[in-house]
Amino acid sequence: MKYRKKPVTIEAITFDELVEHGRKNGANIVNGMPWSFQYAGHPVTHENDDCYLIPTLEGTMKMGRTDMLITGVKGEIYPCKRDIFDATYEAVSE
């Protein structure tokens, strides 16, 4: 049997948008980079200037500069490689 994903609308941000969110929301800034802050109610931690550690339902995952950070339908967050994101999602007007 074959299955198709149900159409759902998700929110997603880029690495740079995550960095800006951290800067604007009380993160400890080291060398211009936010180190530890909350995003969508979840703790995000700086691993290095090219990687953040993201708590997901499957455990901690790494988000790199080219990845997208998705907020799922139940408020969960998880990083997604850009090529997979582009193949799976398209922009919608609000």
Side-chain angles (χ1 to χ4, degrees), residues 27-76:
N28 182 25
I29 306 295
V30 178
N31 294 328
M33 295 294 286
W35 276 57
S36 181
F37 56 94
Q38 296 276 319
Y39 179 78
H42 303 278
V44 174
T45 307
H46 177 275
E47 181 176 72
N48 60 54
D49 288 354
D50 295 314
C51 181
Y52 279 94
L53 301 176
I54 308 296
T56 74
L57 297 174
E58 291 81 33
T60 301
M61 296 180 73
K62 295 182 178 190
M63 179 185 182
R65 287 196 175 268
T66 59
D67 299 339
M68 297 294 289
L69 184 61
I70 295 172
T71 302
V73 295
K74 293 186 177 180
E76 73 280 14

Side-chain angles (χ1 to χ4, degrees), residues 10 12 15-16 26-27 32 34 43 55 58 64 71 73 77 83-84 90:
I10 52 97
F15 185 92
D16 290 338
E58 291 81 33
T71 302
V73 295
I77 62 173
D83 58 339
I84 295 170
E90 60 187 15

